[in-house]
Amino acid sequence: MIHGLDNPGTLDKRLAARPAHLERLQALAAAGRLVLAGPCPAIDSPDPGPAGFSGSLIVAEFPSLTDAQAWADADPYVAAGVYANVVVKPFKKVLL
């Protein structure tokens, strides 16, 4: 699992980098490796508006933790300065 935590005040950067970010996720989905992905709204609302997001969660299958870290490090949100921190951990799916 990959959990990216946003820097404060980066909604504009997030929106600008979103198409490239989604393209990479769609490639994982097309390869049958994406379990789930989505943003974490900064407020309790499906559309947080100007409040933006506090981060993102991605659960996907990678050959190794090293491969997952390399994929996460190449995320457009990292390059754009959206993420302040990215945590990559093993994840064991138990229930759907």
Side-chain angles (χ1 to χ4, degrees), residues 2 21-22 25 28 34-40 56-60 71:
I2 299 167
H21 173 78
L22 291 178
L25 291 171
L28 281 178
L34 184 65
V35 177
L36 64 87
C40 303
S56 304
L57 176 65
I58 300 165
V59 178
W71 189 91

Side-chain angles (χ1 to χ4, degrees), residues 6-15 40-54:
D6 286 17
N7 279 305
T10 56
L11 180 58
D12 290 342
K13 291 179 181 181
R14 175 183 266 273
L15 294 175
C40 303
I43 60 174
D44 187 14
S45 172
D47 181 5
F53 300 91
S54 63

Side-chain angles (χ1 to χ4, degrees), residues 3 9-10 13 16 19 21 32-33 35 48 50 56 58 66-67 73 76 78-79 82 84-85 88 92:
H3 185 201
T10 56
K13 291 179 181 181
H21 173 78
R33 297 173 40 203
V35 177
S56 304
I58 300 165
T66 301
D67 291 326
D73 290 344
V78 171
V82 174
N85 186 32
V88 179
K92 180 181 174 183

